[in-house]
Amino acid sequence: MSLILRYLRLYRRDFLLGLLCLVVTNAVTLLIPWLLKEAIDALGRGSALRNLAFHACAIVVAALVLAAIRTWSRLLILGASRRIVYDIRDDLYAHLLSLPASFYARRRTGEIMSRAVNDLMLIRSLFGPGILSVLNVALLYSAGLPLMAFLDPWLTLAAILPYPLILIGVFRVSRTIHERSNRTQEQLAEISNDAQETLSGINMVKAFVQEEGESRAFGGLSREYRRRSLLLARSRGLIVTLMGGLDKVSTIMVLCLGALHIIAGTLTKGGLVAFLAYLALLSGPTVMMGWVLGVFQRGLGAIRRVEEIRAQTSDLPGDRALGAGPDVQGAIAFRGLRFSYPNGGRAERPVLQDVDLDVPAGATVGIVGRVGSGKSTLVQLVAAVYPVADGTLWIDGRDLNSIPTSHLRAQVAMVPQETFLFSRSIADNIALGAPAAPRSRIEDMARLAQITRDLPDLPQGLDTLVGERGVTLSGGQRQRVALARALLLEPRILILDDALSSIDADTEEAILGGLRDTMRRRTTLVISHRVATVLNADCIVVLEDGRVVESGSAAQLLARDGPFARMHRQQQIERELESL
Amino acid sequence: MTAPGPAHEEEVLGKAYDARLVRRMLPYVAPQARWIALSVTLMFVVIGAQLLQPYLIKLLFDVFIPRADRAGIAALALVYIAATTVELLARYGQLYSMELTGQNVILHLRDRLFRHLNALDSSFFDRHPVGRLMTRVTTDIESLADLFSSGVVSLLGDSVKLIAIVVILWWLNWRLACVTFAMTPFLFLLSVLLRGRIRRSYRDVRRRIARINAYLQESISGMLLVQLFRRGEVNRREFDAINGEHRDAELRSVVYESSFSAIIELVGNVAIALIVWYGGREMVRGVLTFGTLVAFLNYTSRFFGPIQDLSGFYAVLQAAMASLERIFALLDERPAITSNPLPAALPERARGRIDFQDVRFAYRDGEEVLHGIGVRVEPGEKIAIVGATGSGKTTLIKLLIRLYDPTSGAIRLDGRDIRTLPLPWLRRQVGVVQQDHFLFTGTIASNIAFGHPDLPRERIEVAARLVHADRFVRGLPKGYDEEVRERGNNLSVGQKQLLSFARALAYDPAVLVLDEATSSVDTETEILIQDALRLLLEGRTSIVIAHRLSTIVGADRILVFHHGRIVEEGTHRALLQARGIYHRLYQLQFGLETETSGPLPLAAPEIST
């Protein structure tokens, strides 16, 4: 509710002016049947034609005024609803940008999208047609009913007698319609899921000769969809019939009673015609009210859901830390670090424990270990992706939790395991973190990441669009773009999370050769499943089940003949096989 | 940033009427002829009952009120009530029968489309992304439903109603009718003009909301990067721009929408003024009765609605035609692999001898992945295939069940070229356990019985028991009736593997092909899987793409694939002694594992050759 009031206040100028316009339009709307009555009654008295022309002209003028002001009123109120939706959506997006990784791990993308798109549509209907209709009906009734009562009080009573029934009926049925329409949509989603599943597993379906069975199952879903659609059609038909029926009841009562009153001389013919016109004016919006109630109901639900997201906050202590402090130099220290994912579903099993490591500024650290050993988590903690306990992770001797996240991230660049490119040009993707970077710098980084050697194959070079609308880059090409993106930031701490895995060995060597100089000047954390990548690191750390089981230089570890040495041997054989 | 890909193709709108498409649609519509006839008949009833009503009001004013005939008024009221009742009931019936027609048509078309998709071969699915195909089955079919529920009959109804009103007004007083209709061309022109604008502005709004969708989708999926690269401020600005463009398009559509409804109202009111002015003069001259004047007012108020509706029909038709075009294009796709009718008497069960004769295959021209595979597998023989990733092992299996046909060479089952065999028969003989253990939405039981949907429950449980899946299934809250969700995400890898073994056992093929998974499972499950595997391979010809030591060691023959060729062939012992590729592969995959604390290979003693 508070959100509604807040925006009504914010756009009070539009809503008040809109209200004023509606007052005028309703007055003029009600004037036209009155003019009609006057004209007809004048005819009955056999008065001059001049009078007739006057009334006709008056109607035309009133109609023109009406058209202009009605348009304006709708522009004001419907326009305000569009602007409000724009405001809310902007706010919501800004808020989404501030929410931490743990939020996105809990929510499905589709759910968040549905807040920002579908729910806002419902909110739009509340502020636009919803409020417009409520105001309209209120005004129409407050002016129309007295007018009708003035023409003939008994007729008025007869006319509005069925209205409460119409209201209740429409409200009830429109709720059913809403439910049934949801159920129909759900069934359509079922159909779509089933098709998705069958078509994705088509080879399996064929191997087990289940084409017929799958088609039959799909047919069952389709038939259920038809059943639900027809149910929906029934309640839609019902609402049309109900509305029409009740509306006709008042018309017939007014006609009969009115005719008797004319015969009795208490009502003029023009009066009855005008009365019928008023009735027609009232019945439409009254029927709408049942629908509007539903709009409010759904709109309020949508507001609750949007507010729920806006009530979420970041769980990163760094997001609340103040005072940027000195620039990051790049010394990292882990002190008895233990970590388990917040609300990760899987109960409390720590992903990392007892991690004690010292990384001096400017050092290169290689991290190896099996899938699920905690490598990615370890480096993500350095980039403040997830919250850590106070005193367990230090940067340049400062507790990471006391450094504002944005200050920290300005000097940490990460190339995550899963390369994510945005559907823009390659150059834009490289300049992700520094949109204002000059072209020459982008080109330098592209060269450093060995993208340049692929440029001849790309239609527009660095300006080639990638993604849905553009070209599909190979895994290796994508990783190199992601690498260039991180290098462009000139970070103090560079994190490569298995970032060269899809790049062939030769290119990798070229990249690492080119980077050697860069890496010497900054702290670098390199995760790799390829032993060769980390051989030259100052220190290699081997993780197993969240614990550090080995660390030291490559020479030391090979001499120890532990897990690292085993990996090294295994990969030598692999390379040998590849070269066969 | 950009609209989602499909919108590209989906937004293309062609002409609103295409005779060829409509002709192809006929077979789907024809069975509904009775419902359509009913709907049309009822539509005439509705129009008749509707148009009777203003005439009754005319009678009231012209006949009964002047005569002060109270009984007549009561009778008139009864007729009015009857007309209303008939109108409403007929309208309900008309709407419903039309919806029924539309739903029946799309039901059949959708089924047909889905069956057709199921008949298409694997190479078709390599070329067409699943998402695109889904759009055909859902969105495109839906737009046809719109054509029926809000299109065809109301088009006919509106036209008939308009003509009827014109005729009635003409009959009542042709001069006043002319004056009244003076507004019509103006209104129609305006409608068409504004409708076009409104349609365009709606399309604009849709396009922009699609951009908002795409932008949100991308930035939510890539949120980690957006935050790590401190892109927040820039993204906020970009989103604001897209959001603002959407707002502006919305505001434009509000302008057209608002002025459209206001103008329609204006035209109606001007018509009233005209009737009052001209009709009043006629009344004064005594050529027009008061009732007729009221009837005119009444009929004209029913005249402008249909005109508005008619101008909106074009868009519905256009969208439906575009969808039809895409649907029929899909139905025109012919499968490259077709089944042969039963050639001669085939035995219920094959013996299981397989010959690969110089099989070559390329997914794409010029990129051959199998370079002449020639090997014979005897009935009951156990073959293991080993080789590095991408050496062509899985492809060979796809050829065996004719998901693809070889580019040259032939594959024979019991001496018959598999291309001459009926597809269902072939695939009944050759059971495949795929690497990714694809589970379908349904229950555990329905997944085990996937190849034989009517398999009795006992047989399902027996199969599960034999492969040791029984224990964990019984541990689930609903046992065999436990729902499998999202392709079995609620099950562990090992459990899924046991289930696909149970599925293969229940299928009971003469030839079993197994693409073993490499995924690591805990030791206990590993032991269960080994044992299940032994049972599964018993008494049939088997070809296993082997990753497990026990499978390899227990095989009658091992084929070593390298770059699409068989480079070594023989028993485990012989191949190890040859110290070739197999030896190196073996060291790579198993040799080192013996040193680690990981799952111990069961047949470890064999290694010491």
Side-chain angles (χ1 to χ4, degrees):
Chain A
M1 268 326 261
S2 66
L3 183 133
I4 299 184
L5 292 179
R6 187 161 78 238
Y7 281 104
L8 282 184
R9 206 170 311 133
L10 203 58
Y11 286 88
R12 60 178 175 275
R13 201 189 66 92
D14 299 71
F15 283 109
L16 286 177
L17 211 56
L19 179 66
L20 196 68
C21 287
L22 283 177
V23 170
V24 178
T25 46
N26 280 303
V28 179
T29 309
L30 292 169
L31 179 66
I32 291 178
W34 196 266
L35 287 170
L36 187 62
K37 167 191 173 316
E38 289 295 316
I40 290 171
D41 286 344
L43 273 174
R45 287 192 301 273
S47 79
L49 289 175
R50 204 160 43 83
N51 225 335
L52 202 64
F54 166 75
H55 283 119
C57 284
I59 291 178
V60 171
V61 170
L64 282 170
V65 171
L66 180 63
I69 299 185
R70 191 184 295 285
T71 307
W72 197 24
S73 73
R74 292 173 63 97
L75 284 182
L76 283 166
I77 292 180
L78 296 181
S81 76
R82 265 63 170 181
R83 292 193 179 92
I84 289 173
V85 161
Y86 157 81
D87 288 349
I88 299 180
R89 194 179 272 132
D90 251 17
D91 284 357
L92 185 63
Y93 183 71
H95 189 72
L96 285 175
L97 287 170
S98 76
L99 291 177
S102 56
F103 171 82
Y104 292 98
R106 279 198 310 275
R107 308 288 177 112
R108 282 173 297 129
T109 306
E111 186 197 331
I112 304 172
M113 298 272 299
S114 160
R115 295 295 87 81
V117 180
N118 302 345
D119 279 341
L120 281 184
M121 208 75 108
L122 295 176
I123 295 177
R124 190 191 87 176
S125 297
L126 188 153
F127 278 106
I131 287 181
L132 186 69
S133 301
V134 168
L135 292 179
N136 223 352
V137 164
L139 289 170
L140 207 54
Y141 266 78
S142 55
L145 278 186
L147 263 177
M148 287 163 79
F150 174 76
L151 280 172
D152 191 323
W154 288 109
L155 223 49
T156 311
L157 197 63
I160 62 168
L161 217 51
Y163 276 18
L165 279 176
I166 297 189
L167 249 169
I168 297 170
V170 171
F171 178 58
R172 283 268 174 87
V173 181
S174 75
R175 211 166 43 193
T176 315
I177 288 182
H178 186 66
E179 272 161 27
R180 289 187 171 175
S181 129
N182 278 348
R183 285 176 54 76
T184 310
Q185 284 309 308
E186 279 162 21
Q187 188 61 22
L188 191 60
E190 285 286 311
I191 288 181
S192 144
N193 286 341
D194 186 78
Q196 163 109 43
E197 185 174 276
T198 308
L199 299 181
S200 312
I202 191 76
N203 282 349
M204 191 73 173
V205 171
K206 286 177 182 298
F208 280 84
V209 203
Q210 287 308 304
E211 292 96 329
E212 183 55 34
E214 289 299 310
S215 298
R216 254 201 310 256
F218 182 81
L221 293 178
S222 294
R223 253 180 297 285
E224 173 62 18
Y225 176 71
R226 179 182 60 172
R227 195 183 69 81
R228 293 186 183 184
S229 300
L230 290 177
L231 272 180
L232 177 63
R234 255 181 238 171
S235 26
R236 285 210 173 118
L238 183 65
I239 211 168
V240 170
T241 314
L242 202 71
M243 278 158 29
L246 286 169
D247 186 32
K248 287 287 165 72
V249 170
S250 19
T251 309
I252 293 172
M253 298 226 294
V254 166
L255 270 178
C256 294
L257 212 59
L260 297 180
H261 285 187
I262 292 175
I263 294 171
T266 54
L267 185 69
T268 61
K269 283 180 180 175
L272 184 55
V273 172
F275 201 95
L276 285 172
Y278 285 135
L279 197 59
L281 284 178
L282 277 189
S283 73
T286 308
V287 165
M288 285 286 280
M289 278 316 286
W291 171 80
V292 168
L293 283 177
V295 164
F296 270 88
Q297 217 175 28
R298 292 189 284 279
L300 289 174
I303 287 178
R304 261 195 306 280
R305 289 188 292 272
V306 169
E307 290 287 67
E308 190 268 329
I309 290 208
R310 286 172 36 129
Q312 302 282 332
T313 50
S314 171
D315 57 1
L316 296 174
D319 276 343
R320 284 182 291 277
L322 296 169
D327 282 355
V328 170
Q329 293 308 308
I332 309 168
F334 299 88
R335 293 278 175 267
L337 179 82
R338 181 190 168 88
F339 179 79
S340 41
Y341 281 101
N343 317 323
R346 255 160 257 202
E348 296 305 296
R349 205 179 69 91
V351 185
L352 291 169
Q353 39 190 329
D354 306 329
V355 178
D356 277 291
L357 276 177
D358 267 298
V359 182
T364 298
V365 177
I367 304 170
V368 295
R370 291 188 190 183
V371 175
S373 57
K375 306 179 300 268
S376 293
T377 309
L378 186 74
V379 296
Q380 283 181 354
L381 294 182
V382 175
V385 174
Y386 295 103
V388 291
D390 280 342
T392 54
L393 182 47
W394 304 77
I395 306 285
D396 298 339
R398 287 172 75 190
D399 190 329
L400 180 110
N401 286 347
S402 69
I403 307 173
T405 309
S406 122
H407 176 69
L408 175 74
R409 285 182 180 162
Q411 304 175 61
V412 176
M414 177 154 101
V415 185
Q417 199 169 18
E418 272 170 53
T419 316
F420 191 95
L421 297 190
F422 293 85
S423 348
R424 327 172 152 223
S425 72
I426 294 177
D428 282 350
N429 266 292
I430 294 177
L432 181 75
R439 181 70 176 198
S440 59
R441 295 256 305 126
I442 295 174
E443 283 167 3
D444 286 347
M445 294 309 132
R447 208 167 302 122
L448 206 52
Q450 306 289 330
I451 298 169
T452 332
R453 58 168 82 183
D454 294 51
L455 287 185
D457 297 336
L458 297 168
Q460 275 108 40
L462 283 178
D463 294 317
T464 306
L465 285 178
V466 298
E468 298 257 22
R469 287 275 174 96
V471 301
T472 310
L473 297 184
S474 73
Q477 288 171 326
R478 294 162 60 85
Q479 284 190 334
R480 279 177 279 151
V481 173
L483 179 66
R485 173 194 284 172
L487 294 175
L488 181 72
L489 285 189
E490 299 207 323
R492 292 304 313 157
I493 301 177
L494 176 66
I495 299 173
L496 307 178
D497 185 356
D498 211 0
L500 307 174
S501 58
S502 308
I503 297 169
D504 63 273
D506 291 343
T507 314
E508 181 181 337
E509 216 151 293
I511 291 174
L512 289 176
L515 280 186
R516 201 144 295 150
D517 194 41
T518 325
M519 278 158 79
R520 248 198 297 282
R521 281 183 281 112
R522 42 192 122 246
T523 312
T524 315
L525 305 181
V526 187
I527 294 179
S528 180
H529 65 257
R530 223 180 266 167
V531 172
T533 314
V534 297
L535 273 182
N536 290 323
D538 298 319
C539 173
I540 296 166
V541 176
V542 183
L543 283 180
E544 236 168 61
D545 288 334
R547 292 171 197 272
V548 176
V549 292
E550 270 190 328
S551 67
S553 70
Q556 287 168 334
L557 293 185
L558 288 177
R560 264 195 79 212
D561 199 26
F564 181 76
R566 259 199 306 277
M567 268 178 80
H568 182 62
R569 262 202 306 280
Q570 197 168 351
Q571 294 192 2
Q572 267 179 331
I573 303 176
E574 237 168 71
R575 262 207 306 284
E576 202 179 305
L577 267 173
E578 259 169 38
S579 59
L580 276 176
Chain B
M1 282 170 248
T2 48
H8 226 34
E9 182 178 329
E10 315 306 323
E11 283 280 340
V12 177
L13 290 176
K15 39 186 169 174
Y17 181 77
D18 186 331
R20 189 179 49 86
L21 291 175
V22 172
R23 253 201 314 280
R24 289 193 64 175
M25 189 67 194
L26 273 183
Y28 297 92
V29 181
Q32 309 303 325
R34 241 182 305 167
W35 291 116
I36 296 176
L38 176 67
S39 186
V40 171
T41 314
L42 287 176
M43 182 200 74
F44 279 108
V45 175
V46 171
I47 293 174
Q50 259 181 3
L51 296 185
L52 180 63
Q53 292 161 22
Y55 192 74
L56 292 177
I57 297 179
K58 170 183 149 57
L59 288 182
L60 181 75
F61 281 107
D62 282 353
V63 181
F64 298 104
I65 292 179
R67 283 197 210 145
D69 181 352
R70 290 190 169 78
I73 291 175
L76 192 87
L78 285 180
V79 176
Y80 204 112
I81 290 171
T84 305
T85 313
V86 167
E87 180 203 332
L88 292 173
L89 290 180
R91 175 125 59 109
Y92 183 88
Q94 192 255 317
L95 288 176
Y96 191 74
S97 56
M98 214 51 235
E99 182 74 26
L100 192 63
T101 308
Q103 288 296 331
N104 284 340
V105 169
I106 66 166
L107 177 72
H108 292 134
L109 192 59
R110 205 195 307 259
D111 270 12
R112 170 80 206 283
L113 196 60
F114 190 75
R115 273 172 198 280
H116 184 72
L117 280 171
N118 268 292
L120 290 171
D121 57 286
S122 298
S123 60
F124 171 83
F125 289 97
D126 294 342
R127 289 195 310 272
H128 298 267
V130 170
R132 196 65 61 84
L133 298 175
M134 305 251 310
T135 315
R136 301 292 160 275
V137 181
T138 53
T139 319
D140 281 334
I141 296 271
E142 289 310 302
S143 81
L144 287 183
D146 283 351
L147 182 64
F148 285 95
S149 56
S150 67
V152 179
V153 169
S154 57
L155 170 75
L156 189 63
D158 285 339
S159 327
V160 171
K161 203 170 176 181
L162 284 181
I163 294 169
I165 291 176
V166 171
V167 170
I168 291 174
L169 290 187
W170 199 266
W171 171 67
L172 283 174
N173 183 313
W174 68 268
R175 273 182 310 237
L176 184 54
C178 284
V179 173
T180 309
F181 296 138
M183 296 300 292
T184 315
F186 175 64
L187 179 65
F188 191 78
L189 220 73
L190 211 67
S191 287
V192 169
L193 221 88
L194 266 175
R195 278 277 179 184
R197 293 254 161 143
I198 290 182
R199 203 166 52 234
R200 269 196 299 279
S201 74
Y202 281 168
R203 201 180 304 165
D204 231 32
V205 169
R206 273 204 307 279
R207 236 196 312 262
R208 285 170 192 196
I209 197 81
R211 289 187 64 190
I212 288 187
N213 261 319
Y215 192 93
L216 274 174
Q217 173 90 46
E218 195 171 73
S219 72
I220 293 173
S221 314
M223 187 56 83
L224 182 63
L225 276 173
V226 169
Q227 291 176 342
L228 286 178
F229 283 77
R230 300 201 308 156
R231 217 16 224 203
E233 199 40 48
V234 179
N235 269 30
R236 222 186 45 66
R237 271 202 307 275
E238 283 177 349
F239 184 73
D240 176 67
I242 295 174
N243 195 12
E245 273 176 26
H246 172 253
R247 176 201 54 201
D248 295 342
E250 283 259 46
L251 290 177
R252 266 196 299 282
S253 83
V254 166
V255 172
Y256 293 132
E257 217 183 288
S258 306
S259 51
F260 184 62
S261 57
I263 286 173
I264 296 292
E265 194 185 24
L266 173 67
V267 171
N269 281 329
V270 171
I272 289 178
L274 278 175
I275 292 171
V276 166
W277 171 69
Y278 189 81
R281 284 173 48 151
E282 295 276 284
M283 250 179 81
V284 171
R285 283 177 46 214
V287 286
L288 191 79
T289 65
F290 177 70
T292 308
L293 186 74
V294 174
F296 255 90
L297 288 173
N298 233 307
Y299 281 117
T300 25
S301 72
R302 290 163 201 254
F303 186 74
F304 295 111
I307 288 194
Q308 281 186 60
D309 294 343
L310 275 182
S311 58
F313 181 69
Y314 183 81
V316 177
L317 198 63
Q318 202 180 26
M321 285 299 154
S323 291
L324 263 187
E325 174 97 54
R326 292 192 286 262
I327 289 170
F328 283 128
L330 190 53
L331 284 175
D332 285 340
E333 290 277 350
R334 289 285 144 243
I337 292 178
T338 50
S339 183
N340 265 309
L342 218 58
L346 281 170
E348 178 82 7
R349 195 178 174 86
R351 293 182 54 238
R353 194 180 70 207
I354 304 163
D355 288 286
F356 293 95
Q357 298 174 325
D358 191 30
V359 172
R360 289 172 184 278
F361 180 70
Y363 287 102
R364 264 171 301 190
D365 284 342
E367 294 174 31
E368 205 174 76
V369 289
L370 292 178
H371 315 283
I373 299 291
V375 68
R376 162 174 291 192
V377 184
E378 294 299 340
E381 198 182 7
K382 294 185 186 3
I383 296 286
I385 302 180
V386 296
T389 319
S391 57
K393 298 166 298 188
T394 305
T395 303
L396 189 72
I397 287 175
K398 287 182 175 167
L399 296 184
L400 181 57
I401 55 170
R402 287 197 75 201
L403 291 179
Y404 302 89
D405 277 338
T407 335
S408 76
I411 301 173
R412 292 174 187 280
L413 176 61
D414 291 349
R416 292 188 177 90
D417 189 325
I418 58 172
R419 278 169 294 198
T420 66
L421 296 170
L423 269 180
W425 187 85
L426 170 70
R427 290 177 183 163
R428 273 294 299 119
Q429 306 308 316
V430 185
V432 179
V433 178
Q434 280 166 350
Q435 201 169 15
D436 53 3
H437 309 304
F438 199 100
L439 294 186
F440 289 86
T441 307
T443 61
I444 298 276
S446 74
N447 265 289
I448 294 177
F450 186 66
H452 289 298
D454 37 11
L455 201 68
R457 179 54 70 92
E458 311 90 75
R459 298 269 308 276
I460 294 176
E461 294 186 12
V462 167
R465 203 156 38 238
L466 287 174
V467 300
H468 305 300
D470 189 60
R471 213 177 49 167
F472 93 81
V473 174
R474 290 196 182 280
L476 297 169
K478 288 202 210 141
Y480 284 91
D481 295 316
E482 181 76 10
E483 295 278 329
V484 174
R485 280 186 303 274
E486 300 194 27
R487 309 215 181 128
N489 279 348
N490 46 346
L491 300 171
S492 76
V493 177
Q495 289 171 337
K496 282 195 268 190
Q497 196 158 5
L498 289 180
L499 281 183
S500 42
F501 285 174
R503 171 155 67 196
L505 195 64
Y507 195 53
D508 191 25
V511 178
L512 184 73
V513 181
L514 197 92
D515 203 342
E516 258 190 9
T518 40
S519 49
S520 49
V521 289
D522 59 89
T523 325
E524 201 187 344
T525 316
E526 176 73 21
I527 294 171
L528 292 181
I529 290 175
Q530 299 295 351
D531 201 45
L533 202 62
R534 195 157 38 238
L535 195 121
L536 200 57
L537 302 184
E538 228 165 61
R540 48 186 122 235
T541 309
S542 64
I543 301 177
V544 182
I545 295 180
H547 294 294
R548 282 192 183 78
L549 194 55
S550 62
T551 319
I552 300 175
V553 173
D556 297 324
R557 214 167 6 139
I558 297 165
L559 307 179
V560 181
F561 267 58
H562 199 68
H563 298 316
R565 286 191 174 81
I566 297 177
V567 288
E568 289 172 22
E569 191 179 334
T571 63
H572 174 65
R573 215 171 276 265
L575 288 178
L576 272 189
Q577 272 158 8
R579 300 221 149 235
I581 291 184
Y582 180 75
H583 178 74
R584 294 309 274 163
L585 271 173
Y586 180 78
Q587 277 189 314
L588 179 61
Q589 283 175 355
F590 307 105
L592 294 158
E593 246 178 47
T594 56
E595 302 169 23
T596 68
S597 55
L600 267 168
L602 294 175
E606 290 261 351
I607 311 170
S608 53
T609 358

